[in-house]
Amino acid sequence: MRITLLLSLLLVHLSVSAKDVKFGKVSKEDVSATRHIDYPEANAAILHKSEWIWYDYQYDIGWTVTREVHFRIKIYKKDGFDWATLQIPLYAGRGGEETISGIKGFTFNIEGGKLVSKKLKNDGVFEEKVNKYRNKTSITMPEVKEGSVLDIEYKIKSPMFWNIDEFKFQYDIPLDHAEVRLDVPEYFIFKKHSKGFQTIQFAESKKNRSMNIAYRSSDNMGLVGRSTHNNGTLSFMENIYTMEVSNIPAMLEEKYTNNIDNYKTSVKFELASTHFPNQPYENYSLTWEGVAKSIYSYDDFGAELNKKGYFKDDLDPLLNGLSSNIEKAMTIFQFVKTKMNWDNYYGVTCSDQGIRKAYKEGKGNVAEINLMLTAMFRYAGLDAHPVLVSTRSHGIPLFPTSDGFNYVITGLQLENGLVLFDATEKNTVPNILPMRALNWFGRLIREDGSSKQVDLMPKTKSVDAIMMSVVLNDDGSIEGEYQEQYSANSALLFRNNFVAGTEEKYLDDLEKKYGDIEISNFNLQNQGNLSKPVVQAFNFVKEDAFDEISGKLYISPLFYLTTTVNPFKTEKREFPVDFGYPWKDQYMINIAIPDGYAVESVPESIAVGLPDNLGRFKYFVSAANNKINVRVDIELNTSLISSNYYAQLKEFYNQIIKKELEKVVLVKT
């Protein structure tokens, strides 16, 4: 009973103290604090966040949504200085532009034992156009130092009344308290979608609201009768949604995470329907089929697929004499990759220039290039359709919405099944997509409005196979020959990384990566032959590669390839491990024993497997005829591993490290 009472009093205290937070009123205790009481390692924290969202109506504008935001941020360490600048995205889409106003801010510090404040000035606010769909306002606070508390307030007004931005309740720093209030006129019915692992206190209520507005008989909402050019009062009920959270821990980016924002606690309101006075009921709830049909109807999407005059004269000679579908597909695919250059813009629709102009200039966004590819496939008589994708950085769509997709590729139905193509990169091959597009599922859409889900995750295992011959020298150095072969997605990554710089820079980085080896006679095969694995080979020398102790040689049989660090460090993990694609690392190493030495011991061979055939580790070392032979296989058979297997995966890597650190011991004969 006593514990329950104390907890109740604590919750009341948190609720009351949160409501007492006033902009510009900061306590000396908050500014004086040197570390977070619950998360002492935090470099910054959000002490308080509040949002209030409400609707307004004007006959000449229609409905608008205003969002008032207040952030109070504490900076503990220099590593938290990034939070001294807030980046605020502003949409500029088909429904109009969002605008920001009422920007205010103070930086609070302790100077000479006293609490002082510095006001945000105009030079701390910067607005920029990101692309045709997005603007951005940056707010940079003045005189920020370790210990500062930042108070920031602003309003965003949006004409896109049907879209309410996601409410975020978790960041990469702790959040002490947040509260959100959403006032929605009774005419709008929203669905609520939540994600994340933290508890949100949610409540609903209703209240009456009256709004003085000017109206006309042409008022398309039918809200206030049929009088003309008068002022009137609009009265209606509002649904009030409140959300509140406290003591939310940081969620930090971890190794092998596709997009950490997919798992942070948040709430999204989706417009399901509207019902205005004197107007019929409108249902906005979408199915995936509805999303597909809507996107296909766009002039800068479906209509572009029907255009062929701009490429016909170029494509006809290339297709002449080709009979098989795969020959036609590969010829067209190579032609588009050679002809077009991607401008690094995402999107499922063409830009203002359209496909024809993009083709003429040899440059376009992802939709222009891959819709062009789809149109050419169809012109050649192939069964091709666009496939909508949400990139890894964009997140995973939780419910059917056209905003959930920001990328498009091509799906081609061939004899052996559906094959995926992306012509935005020169080094892609069929069914080997860039990492950005490997995000669980896409949606293939057809002209008749039907669609189907498409699994984007690779089925072909990417292999990184290394063969190495090593000679041990008396001075503790080694020299040898090295050959490495990459296939599938590993080959795509290698080719892209290699062409991104110079060979000299690549070799410098490689020498440092492998512990200051010296590389010579570098040779690269199949860099441009995408149908074959890419192969790199070189000779190398490395100093101080093994130890001599009391006349014995202690050798790590994988040398600089030894795994020494477990990528999984946290005790537990709430979200999946995403490797991007299934893979296999294979090492085959031959070591020549120096004259006058014999093998005293080698590590025992082992085989370790993950549950449900998710992966395995095999390690084998043998010695015969003055040679040591090493064979190591590490493979993961799936792209995604559930967090339920995290403990086993972490231990799997511990076993790899423990075994690979074991030494071969040589003694003098």
Side-chain angles (χ1 to χ4, degrees), residues 329 332-343 362 364-374 376-377 407-410 420-430 432-434 436:
I332 294 170
F333 186 44
Q334 186 58 43
F335 172 69
V336 174
K337 288 197 298 176
T338 303
K339 166 73 176 175
M340 299 301 297
N341 293 291
W342 182 40
D343 62 10
N365 67 18
V366 63
E368 287 157 351
I369 292 174
N370 284 327
L371 291 180
M372 179 189 303
L373 177 66
T374 307
M376 289 183 181
F377 280 162
Y407 201 86
V408 60
I409 58 176
T410 299
L420 303 178
F421 293 80
D422 186 344
T424 60
E425 291 192 8
K426 308 299 183 184
N427 294 315
T428 56
V429 297
I432 304 297
L433 301 175
R436 59 179 172 270

mmCIF file of all heavy atoms in Angstrom, residues 329 332-343 362 364-374 376-377 407-410 420-430 432-434 436:
data_model
loop_
_atom_site.group_PDB
_atom_site.id
_atom_site.type_symbol
_atom_site.label_atom_id
_atom_site.label_comp_id
_atom_site.label_asym_id
_atom_site.label_seq_id
_atom_site.Cartn_x
_atom_site.Cartn_y
_atom_site.Cartn_z
ATOM 1 N N ALA A 329 16.066 -8.209 -72.069
ATOM 2 C CA ALA A 329 16.103 -7.518 -70.782
ATOM 3 C C ALA A 329 17.501 -7.015 -70.467
ATOM 4 O O ALA A 329 17.679 -5.854 -70.059
ATOM 5 C CB ALA A 329 15.616 -8.453 -69.671
ATOM 6 N N ILE A 332 18.506 -4.022 -72.744
ATOM 7 C CA ILE A 332 17.842 -2.768 -72.348
ATOM 8 C C ILE A 332 18.416 -2.249 -71.037
ATOM 9 O O ILE A 332 18.680 -1.046 -70.881
ATOM 10 C CB ILE A 332 16.322 -2.994 -72.233
ATOM 11 C CG1 ILE A 332 15.729 -3.302 -73.606
ATOM 12 C CG2 ILE A 332 15.643 -1.772 -71.615
ATOM 13 C CD1 ILE A 332 14.282 -3.770 -73.559
ATOM 14 N N PHE A 333 18.607 -3.147 -70.093
ATOM 15 C CA PHE A 333 19.135 -2.765 -68.781
ATOM 16 C C PHE A 333 20.506 -2.102 -68.922
ATOM 17 O O PHE A 333 20.765 -1.036 -68.340
ATOM 18 C CB PHE A 333 19.220 -4.009 -67.900
ATOM 19 C CG PHE A 333 19.616 -3.749 -66.474
ATOM 20 C CD1 PHE A 333 19.077 -2.709 -65.734
ATOM 21 C CD2 PHE A 333 20.535 -4.587 -65.838
ATOM 22 C CE1 PHE A 333 19.438 -2.490 -64.414
ATOM 23 C CE2 PHE A 333 20.904 -4.382 -64.519
ATOM 24 C CZ PHE A 333 20.353 -3.334 -63.808
ATOM 25 N N GLN A 334 21.377 -2.707 -69.709
ATOM 26 C CA GLN A 334 22.708 -2.143 -69.903
ATOM 27 C C GLN A 334 22.632 -0.808 -70.634
ATOM 28 O O GLN A 334 23.374 0.129 -70.320
ATOM 29 C CB GLN A 334 23.598 -3.118 -70.687
ATOM 30 C CG GLN A 334 25.044 -2.675 -70.802
ATOM 31 C CD GLN A 334 25.705 -2.475 -69.454
ATOM 32 O OE1 GLN A 334 25.535 -3.286 -68.537
ATOM 33 N NE2 GLN A 334 26.453 -1.389 -69.302
ATOM 34 N N PHE A 335 21.716 -0.692 -71.582
ATOM 35 C CA PHE A 335 21.557 0.563 -72.327
ATOM 36 C C PHE A 335 21.146 1.701 -71.394
ATOM 37 O O PHE A 335 21.714 2.806 -71.451
ATOM 38 C CB PHE A 335 20.508 0.375 -73.427
ATOM 39 C CG PHE A 335 20.141 1.658 -74.134
ATOM 40 C CD1 PHE A 335 21.042 2.303 -74.964
ATOM 41 C CD2 PHE A 335 18.884 2.224 -73.953
ATOM 42 C CE1 PHE A 335 20.705 3.492 -75.608
ATOM 43 C CE2 PHE A 335 18.531 3.404 -74.584
ATOM 44 C CZ PHE A 335 19.449 4.038 -75.419
ATOM 45 N N VAL A 336 20.167 1.446 -70.520
ATOM 46 C CA VAL A 336 19.700 2.501 -69.609
ATOM 47 C C VAL A 336 20.802 2.882 -68.625
ATOM 48 O O VAL A 336 21.021 4.070 -68.347
ATOM 49 C CB VAL A 336 18.429 2.047 -68.868
ATOM 50 C CG1 VAL A 336 18.027 3.084 -67.813
ATOM 51 C CG2 VAL A 336 17.289 1.833 -69.844
ATOM 52 N N LYS A 337 21.517 1.886 -68.094
ATOM 53 C CA LYS A 337 22.596 2.199 -67.150
ATOM 54 C C LYS A 337 23.692 3.027 -67.809
ATOM 55 O O LYS A 337 24.289 3.911 -67.171
ATOM 56 C CB LYS A 337 23.196 0.908 -66.582
ATOM 57 C CG LYS A 337 22.304 0.180 -65.604
ATOM 58 C CD LYS A 337 23.084 -0.831 -64.780
ATOM 59 C CE LYS A 337 23.700 -1.901 -65.645
ATOM 60 N NZ LYS A 337 24.536 -2.827 -64.851
ATOM 61 N N THR A 338 23.978 2.745 -69.059
ATOM 62 C CA THR A 338 25.016 3.494 -69.779
ATOM 63 C C THR A 338 24.532 4.881 -70.150
ATOM 64 O O THR A 338 25.269 5.863 -70.045
ATOM 65 C CB THR A 338 25.438 2.729 -71.049
ATOM 66 O OG1 THR A 338 25.887 1.423 -70.684
ATOM 67 C CG2 THR A 338 26.548 3.459 -71.779
ATOM 68 N N LYS A 339 23.282 4.961 -70.584
ATOM 69 C CA LYS A 339 22.723 6.227 -71.076
ATOM 70 C C LYS A 339 22.448 7.220 -69.945
ATOM 71 O O LYS A 339 22.718 8.416 -70.068
ATOM 72 C CB LYS A 339 21.419 5.929 -71.824
ATOM 73 C CG LYS A 339 20.531 7.123 -72.123
ATOM 74 C CD LYS A 339 21.086 7.995 -73.221
ATOM 75 C CE LYS A 339 20.120 9.129 -73.556
ATOM 76 N NZ LYS A 339 20.689 10.058 -74.551
ATOM 77 N N MET A 340 21.938 6.718 -68.808
ATOM 78 C CA MET A 340 21.425 7.600 -67.771
ATOM 79 C C MET A 340 22.363 7.696 -66.575
ATOM 80 O O MET A 340 23.046 6.735 -66.212
ATOM 81 C CB MET A 340 20.054 7.111 -67.294
ATOM 82 C CG MET A 340 18.985 7.087 -68.370
ATOM 83 S SD MET A 340 18.703 8.723 -69.116
ATOM 84 C CE MET A 340 18.110 9.641 -67.686
ATOM 85 N N ASN A 341 22.340 8.866 -65.951
ATOM 86 C CA ASN A 341 23.073 9.109 -64.706
ATOM 87 C C ASN A 341 22.080 9.583 -63.648
ATOM 88 O O ASN A 341 21.273 10.487 -63.898
ATOM 89 C CB ASN A 341 24.155 10.166 -64.905
ATOM 90 C CG ASN A 341 25.255 9.688 -65.816
ATOM 91 O OD1 ASN A 341 26.025 8.802 -65.479
ATOM 92 N ND2 ASN A 341 25.331 10.264 -67.022
ATOM 93 N N TRP A 342 22.145 8.955 -62.489
ATOM 94 C CA TRP A 342 21.224 9.300 -61.404
ATOM 95 C C TRP A 342 21.651 10.595 -60.735
ATOM 96 O O TRP A 342 22.834 10.803 -60.437
ATOM 97 C CB TRP A 342 21.198 8.150 -60.401
ATOM 98 C CG TRP A 342 20.256 8.344 -59.250
ATOM 99 C CD1 TRP A 342 19.009 8.877 -59.280
ATOM 100 C CD2 TRP A 342 20.494 7.994 -57.887
ATOM 101 N NE1 TRP A 342 18.450 8.871 -58.030
ATOM 102 C CE2 TRP A 342 19.339 8.338 -57.155
ATOM 103 C CE3 TRP A 342 21.568 7.405 -57.220
ATOM 104 C CZ2 TRP A 342 19.232 8.125 -55.788
ATOM 105 C CZ3 TRP A 342 21.459 7.198 -55.855
ATOM 106 C CH2 TRP A 342 20.302 7.554 -55.151
ATOM 107 N N ASP A 343 20.678 11.494 -60.467
ATOM 108 C CA ASP A 343 20.974 12.786 -59.841
ATOM 109 C C ASP A 343 20.916 12.738 -58.314
ATOM 110 O O ASP A 343 20.949 13.776 -57.650
ATOM 111 C CB ASP A 343 20.034 13.873 -60.370
ATOM 112 C CG ASP A 343 18.563 13.593 -60.066
ATOM 113 O OD1 ASP A 343 18.278 12.658 -59.283
ATOM 114 O OD2 ASP A 343 17.692 14.303 -60.611
ATOM 115 N N GLY A 362 20.295 12.792 -70.309
ATOM 116 C CA GLY A 362 21.069 11.682 -69.753
ATOM 117 C C GLY A 362 21.186 11.716 -68.246
ATOM 118 O O GLY A 362 22.103 11.122 -67.671
ATOM 119 N N GLY A 364 18.594 11.915 -64.466
ATOM 120 C CA GLY A 364 17.262 12.009 -63.896
ATOM 121 C C GLY A 364 17.199 11.434 -62.500
ATOM 122 O O GLY A 364 18.174 10.867 -61.994
ATOM 123 N N ASN A 365 16.015 11.568 -61.890
ATOM 124 C CA ASN A 365 15.851 11.009 -60.549
ATOM 125 C C ASN A 365 15.535 9.520 -60.651
ATOM 126 O O ASN A 365 15.448 8.951 -61.742
ATOM 127 C CB ASN A 365 14.789 11.787 -59.757
ATOM 128 C CG ASN A 365 13.385 11.619 -60.313
ATOM 129 O OD1 ASN A 365 13.087 10.698 -61.075
ATOM 130 N ND2 ASN A 365 12.490 12.511 -59.936
ATOM 131 N N VAL A 366 15.352 8.887 -59.502
ATOM 132 C CA VAL A 366 15.196 7.433 -59.501
ATOM 133 C C VAL A 366 13.941 7.009 -60.259
ATOM 134 O O VAL A 366 13.950 5.996 -60.979
ATOM 135 C CB VAL A 366 15.183 6.894 -58.055
ATOM 136 C CG1 VAL A 366 14.006 7.423 -57.269
ATOM 137 C CG2 VAL A 366 15.178 5.387 -58.036
ATOM 138 N N ALA A 367 12.852 7.779 -60.139
ATOM 139 C CA ALA A 367 11.621 7.419 -60.838
ATOM 140 C C ALA A 367 11.794 7.550 -62.345
ATOM 141 O O ALA A 367 11.338 6.687 -63.115
ATOM 142 C CB ALA A 367 10.468 8.296 -60.348
ATOM 143 N N GLU A 368 12.413 8.620 -62.791
ATOM 144 C CA GLU A 368 12.611 8.812 -64.231
ATOM 145 C C GLU A 368 13.436 7.677 -64.835
ATOM 146 O O GLU A 368 13.120 7.173 -65.918
ATOM 147 C CB GLU A 368 13.273 10.166 -64.476
ATOM 148 C CG GLU A 368 12.331 11.328 -64.256
ATOM 149 C CD GLU A 368 13.030 12.648 -63.954
ATOM 150 O OE1 GLU A 368 14.252 12.643 -63.741
ATOM 151 O OE2 GLU A 368 12.329 13.667 -63.907
ATOM 152 N N ILE A 369 14.474 7.250 -64.148
ATOM 153 C CA ILE A 369 15.347 6.202 -64.687
ATOM 154 C C ILE A 369 14.655 4.847 -64.682
ATOM 155 O O ILE A 369 14.653 4.127 -65.694
ATOM 156 C CB ILE A 369 16.670 6.158 -63.902
ATOM 157 C CG1 ILE A 369 17.483 7.427 -64.174
ATOM 158 C CG2 ILE A 369 17.474 4.913 -64.262
ATOM 159 C CD1 ILE A 369 18.738 7.554 -63.346
ATOM 160 N N ASN A 370 14.033 4.484 -63.577
ATOM 161 C CA ASN A 370 13.461 3.142 -63.499
ATOM 162 C C ASN A 370 12.085 3.031 -64.143
ATOM 163 O O ASN A 370 11.701 1.947 -64.598
ATOM 164 C CB ASN A 370 13.444 2.663 -62.051
ATOM 165 C CG ASN A 370 14.824 2.251 -61.576
ATOM 166 O OD1 ASN A 370 15.629 1.737 -62.352
ATOM 167 N ND2 ASN A 370 15.119 2.498 -60.309
ATOM 168 N N LEU A 371 11.317 4.121 -64.225
ATOM 169 C CA LEU A 371 10.091 4.089 -65.026
ATOM 170 C C LEU A 371 10.443 4.015 -66.510
ATOM 171 O O LEU A 371 9.746 3.356 -67.292
ATOM 172 C CB LEU A 371 9.231 5.315 -64.741
ATOM 173 C CG LEU A 371 8.592 5.393 -63.348
ATOM 174 C CD1 LEU A 371 7.754 6.663 -63.209
ATOM 175 C CD2 LEU A 371 7.742 4.166 -63.048
ATOM 176 N N MET A 372 11.506 4.690 -66.898
ATOM 177 C CA MET A 372 12.019 4.584 -68.270
ATOM 178 C C MET A 372 12.385 3.140 -68.583
ATOM 179 O O MET A 372 12.050 2.609 -69.657
ATOM 180 C CB MET A 372 13.244 5.491 -68.430
ATOM 181 C CG MET A 372 13.911 5.470 -69.776
ATOM 182 S SD MET A 372 15.485 6.374 -69.720
ATOM 183 C CE MET A 372 14.954 7.987 -69.164
ATOM 184 N N LEU A 373 13.088 2.491 -67.639
ATOM 185 C CA LEU A 373 13.469 1.097 -67.825
ATOM 186 C C LEU A 373 12.226 0.223 -67.974
ATOM 187 O O LEU A 373 12.169 -0.655 -68.856
ATOM 188 C CB LEU A 373 14.296 0.633 -66.625
ATOM 189 C CG LEU A 373 14.730 -0.829 -66.607
ATOM 190 C CD1 LEU A 373 15.716 -1.104 -67.738
ATOM 191 C CD2 LEU A 373 15.358 -1.188 -65.260
ATOM 192 N N THR A 374 11.210 0.464 -67.140
ATOM 193 C CA THR A 374 9.965 -0.304 -67.225
ATOM 194 C C THR A 374 9.287 -0.101 -68.571
ATOM 195 O O THR A 374 8.813 -1.071 -69.194
ATOM 196 C CB THR A 374 9.009 0.118 -66.089
ATOM 197 O OG1 THR A 374 9.685 0.018 -64.832
ATOM 198 C CG2 THR A 374 7.771 -0.761 -66.061
ATOM 199 N N MET A 376 10.638 0.706 -71.416
ATOM 200 C CA MET A 376 11.414 0.047 -72.473
ATOM 201 C C MET A 376 11.207 -1.463 -72.441
ATOM 202 O O MET A 376 11.111 -2.111 -73.494
ATOM 203 C CB MET A 376 12.898 0.385 -72.316
ATOM 204 C CG MET A 376 13.247 1.815 -72.652
ATOM 205 S SD MET A 376 15.038 2.100 -72.532
ATOM 206 C CE MET A 376 15.121 3.844 -72.938
ATOM 207 N N PHE A 377 11.164 -2.045 -71.242
ATOM 208 C CA PHE A 377 10.874 -3.478 -71.136
ATOM 209 C C PHE A 377 9.526 -3.790 -71.797
ATOM 210 O O PHE A 377 9.389 -4.762 -72.548
ATOM 211 C CB PHE A 377 10.839 -3.907 -69.666
ATOM 212 C CG PHE A 377 12.197 -4.140 -69.048
ATOM 213 C CD1 PHE A 377 12.348 -4.167 -67.667
ATOM 214 C CD2 PHE A 377 13.325 -4.347 -69.821
ATOM 215 C CE1 PHE A 377 13.582 -4.404 -67.079
ATOM 216 C CE2 PHE A 377 14.574 -4.578 -69.251
ATOM 217 C CZ PHE A 377 14.696 -4.606 -67.876
ATOM 218 N N TYR A 407 10.759 5.549 -53.402
ATOM 219 C CA TYR A 407 11.725 4.976 -54.337
ATOM 220 C C TYR A 407 10.956 4.018 -55.235
ATOM 221 O O TYR A 407 9.913 3.481 -54.846
ATOM 222 C CB TYR A 407 12.791 4.215 -53.545
ATOM 223 C CG TYR A 407 14.115 3.966 -54.247
ATOM 224 C CD1 TYR A 407 15.123 4.921 -54.205
ATOM 225 C CD2 TYR A 407 14.361 2.774 -54.909
ATOM 226 C CE1 TYR A 407 16.352 4.683 -54.809
ATOM 227 C CE2 TYR A 407 15.587 2.529 -55.516
ATOM 228 C CZ TYR A 407 16.583 3.493 -55.465
ATOM 229 O OH TYR A 407 17.805 3.256 -56.067
ATOM 230 N N VAL A 408 11.441 3.812 -56.437
ATOM 231 C CA VAL A 408 10.780 2.876 -57.345
ATOM 232 C C VAL A 408 11.830 2.105 -58.130
ATOM 233 O O VAL A 408 12.844 2.672 -58.547
ATOM 234 C CB VAL A 408 9.792 3.603 -58.291
ATOM 235 C CG1 VAL A 408 10.507 4.637 -59.147
ATOM 236 C CG2 VAL A 408 9.035 2.617 -59.165
ATOM 237 N N ILE A 409 11.632 0.796 -58.270
ATOM 238 C CA ILE A 409 12.489 -0.050 -59.085
ATOM 239 C C ILE A 409 11.602 -0.750 -60.108
ATOM 240 O O ILE A 409 10.403 -0.456 -60.215
ATOM 241 C CB ILE A 409 13.265 -1.078 -58.233
ATOM 242 C CG1 ILE A 409 12.306 -1.971 -57.445
ATOM 243 C CG2 ILE A 409 14.222 -0.352 -57.286
ATOM 244 C CD1 ILE A 409 12.992 -3.077 -56.658
ATOM 245 N N THR A 410 12.154 -1.678 -60.858
ATOM 246 C CA THR A 410 11.406 -2.388 -61.898
ATOM 247 C C THR A 410 11.357 -3.877 -61.584
ATOM 248 O O THR A 410 12.380 -4.487 -61.243
ATOM 249 C CB THR A 410 12.061 -2.178 -63.270
ATOM 250 O OG1 THR A 410 12.068 -0.789 -63.583
ATOM 251 C CG2 THR A 410 11.306 -2.937 -64.353
ATOM 252 N N LEU A 420 14.176 -8.387 -60.117
ATOM 253 C CA LEU A 420 14.174 -6.971 -59.763
ATOM 254 C C LEU A 420 15.375 -6.261 -60.390
ATOM 255 O O LEU A 420 16.492 -6.786 -60.372
ATOM 256 C CB LEU A 420 14.203 -6.806 -58.247
ATOM 257 C CG LEU A 420 13.058 -7.484 -57.487
ATOM 258 C CD1 LEU A 420 13.221 -7.306 -55.988
ATOM 259 C CD2 LEU A 420 11.697 -6.954 -57.946
ATOM 260 N N PHE A 421 15.129 -5.050 -60.916
ATOM 261 C CA PHE A 421 16.153 -4.258 -61.582
ATOM 262 C C PHE A 421 16.166 -2.843 -61.000
ATOM 263 O O PHE A 421 15.114 -2.267 -60.716
ATOM 264 C CB PHE A 421 15.877 -4.138 -63.088
ATOM 265 C CG PHE A 421 16.002 -5.421 -63.865
ATOM 266 C CD1 PHE A 421 14.977 -6.356 -63.867
ATOM 267 C CD2 PHE A 421 17.141 -5.684 -64.619
ATOM 268 C CE1 PHE A 421 15.076 -7.525 -64.592
ATOM 269 C CE2 PHE A 421 17.256 -6.854 -65.353
ATOM 270 C CZ PHE A 421 16.219 -7.781 -65.338
ATOM 271 N N ASP A 422 17.358 -2.284 -60.860
ATOM 272 C CA ASP A 422 17.540 -0.880 -60.488
ATOM 273 C C ASP A 422 18.666 -0.323 -61.348
ATOM 274 O O ASP A 422 19.828 -0.719 -61.205
ATOM 275 C CB ASP A 422 17.881 -0.743 -59.008
ATOM 276 C CG ASP A 422 17.943 0.704 -58.543
ATOM 277 O OD1 ASP A 422 18.016 1.607 -59.402
ATOM 278 O OD2 ASP A 422 17.929 0.941 -57.318
ATOM 279 N N ALA A 423 18.331 0.607 -62.242
ATOM 280 C CA ALA A 423 19.306 1.131 -63.201
ATOM 281 C C ALA A 423 19.956 2.423 -62.730
ATOM 282 O O ALA A 423 20.631 3.093 -63.510
ATOM 283 C CB ALA A 423 18.637 1.356 -64.560
ATOM 284 N N THR A 424 19.776 2.800 -61.456
ATOM 285 C CA THR A 424 20.369 4.052 -60.980
ATOM 286 C C THR A 424 21.872 3.939 -60.767
ATOM 287 O O THR A 424 22.556 4.952 -60.682
ATOM 288 C CB THR A 424 19.719 4.508 -59.659
ATOM 289 O OG1 THR A 424 19.912 3.495 -58.669
ATOM 290 C CG2 THR A 424 18.234 4.772 -59.856
ATOM 291 N N GLU A 425 22.376 2.717 -60.634
ATOM 292 C CA GLU A 425 23.810 2.529 -60.411
ATOM 293 C C GLU A 425 24.409 1.701 -61.537
ATOM 294 O O GLU A 425 23.783 0.760 -62.035
ATOM 295 C CB GLU A 425 24.065 1.843 -59.064
ATOM 296 C CG GLU A 425 23.741 2.721 -57.879
ATOM 297 C CD GLU A 425 24.267 2.150 -56.579
ATOM 298 O OE1 GLU A 425 25.008 1.146 -56.620
ATOM 299 O OE2 GLU A 425 23.943 2.709 -55.523
ATOM 300 N N LYS A 426 25.635 2.018 -61.892
ATOM 301 C CA LYS A 426 26.299 1.350 -63.013
ATOM 302 C C LYS A 426 26.642 -0.095 -62.703
ATOM 303 O O LYS A 426 26.765 -0.909 -63.616
ATOM 304 C CB LYS A 426 27.577 2.110 -63.392
ATOM 305 C CG LYS A 426 27.393 3.606 -63.632
ATOM 306 C CD LYS A 426 26.436 3.899 -64.776
ATOM 307 C CE LYS A 426 26.338 5.400 -65.044
ATOM 308 N NZ LYS A 426 25.335 5.713 -66.090
ATOM 309 N N ASN A 427 26.826 -0.443 -61.433
ATOM 310 C CA ASN A 427 27.333 -1.761 -61.070
ATOM 311 C C ASN A 427 26.254 -2.745 -60.627
ATOM 312 O O ASN A 427 26.575 -3.842 -60.180
ATOM 313 C CB ASN A 427 28.377 -1.629 -59.953
ATOM 314 C CG ASN A 427 29.620 -0.902 -60.418
ATOM 315 O OD1 ASN A 427 30.145 -1.166 -61.494
ATOM 316 N ND2 ASN A 427 30.103 0.038 -59.614
ATOM 317 N N THR A 428 24.980 -2.356 -60.722
ATOM 318 C CA THR A 428 23.926 -3.280 -60.330
ATOM 319 C C THR A 428 23.724 -4.351 -61.396
ATOM 320 O O THR A 428 23.968 -4.137 -62.585
ATOM 321 C CB THR A 428 22.598 -2.554 -60.089
ATOM 322 O OG1 THR A 428 22.249 -1.806 -61.257
ATOM 323 C CG2 THR A 428 22.683 -1.640 -58.889
ATOM 324 N N VAL A 429 23.258 -5.511 -60.960
ATOM 325 C CA VAL A 429 22.873 -6.600 -61.851
ATOM 326 C C VAL A 429 21.487 -7.059 -61.419
ATOM 327 O O VAL A 429 21.011 -6.693 -60.341
ATOM 328 C CB VAL A 429 23.888 -7.770 -61.795
ATOM 329 C CG1 VAL A 429 25.253 -7.324 -62.285
ATOM 330 C CG2 VAL A 429 23.991 -8.340 -60.388
ATOM 331 N N PRO A 430 20.792 -7.850 -62.238
ATOM 332 C CA PRO A 430 19.450 -8.301 -61.855
ATOM 333 C C PRO A 430 19.431 -8.977 -60.487
ATOM 334 O O PRO A 430 20.284 -9.805 -60.162
ATOM 335 C CB PRO A 430 19.091 -9.286 -62.976
ATOM 336 C CG PRO A 430 19.875 -8.817 -64.158
ATOM 337 C CD PRO A 430 21.161 -8.296 -63.600
ATOM 338 N N ILE A 432 20.240 -7.878 -57.705
ATOM 339 C CA ILE A 432 21.230 -7.345 -56.760
ATOM 340 C C ILE A 432 20.979 -5.842 -56.662
ATOM 341 O O ILE A 432 21.428 -5.065 -57.497
ATOM 342 C CB ILE A 432 22.672 -7.641 -57.199
ATOM 343 C CG1 ILE A 432 22.873 -9.139 -57.395
ATOM 344 C CG2 ILE A 432 23.658 -7.091 -56.179
ATOM 345 C CD1 ILE A 432 22.685 -9.967 -56.143
ATOM 346 N N LEU A 433 20.240 -5.443 -55.647
ATOM 347 C CA LEU A 433 19.833 -4.050 -55.481
ATOM 348 C C LEU A 433 20.805 -3.307 -54.581
ATOM 349 O O LEU A 433 21.462 -3.908 -53.729
ATOM 350 C CB LEU A 433 18.434 -3.984 -54.870
ATOM 351 C CG LEU A 433 17.306 -4.672 -55.640
ATOM 352 C CD1 LEU A 433 16.013 -4.613 -54.835
ATOM 353 C CD2 LEU A 433 17.110 -4.028 -57.010
ATOM 354 N N PRO A 434 20.880 -1.974 -54.728
ATOM 355 C CA PRO A 434 21.688 -1.182 -53.789
ATOM 356 C C PRO A 434 21.174 -1.357 -52.362
ATOM 357 O O PRO A 434 19.982 -1.616 -52.137
ATOM 358 C CB PRO A 434 21.484 0.259 -54.276
ATOM 359 C CG PRO A 434 21.024 0.139 -55.689
ATOM 360 C CD PRO A 434 20.263 -1.143 -55.774
ATOM 361 N N ARG A 436 20.418 0.673 -50.124
ATOM 362 C CA ARG A 436 19.347 1.590 -49.725
ATOM 363 C C ARG A 436 17.958 1.007 -50.017
ATOM 364 O O ARG A 436 16.972 1.367 -49.371
ATOM 365 C CB ARG A 436 19.503 2.929 -50.436
ATOM 366 C CG ARG A 436 19.466 2.847 -51.954
ATOM 367 C CD ARG A 436 19.610 4.206 -52.618
ATOM 368 N NE ARG A 436 19.753 4.074 -54.059
ATOM 369 C CZ ARG A 436 20.897 3.945 -54.693
ATOM 370 N NH1 ARG A 436 22.025 3.942 -53.989
ATOM 371 N NH2 ARG A 436 20.947 3.823 -56.008
#
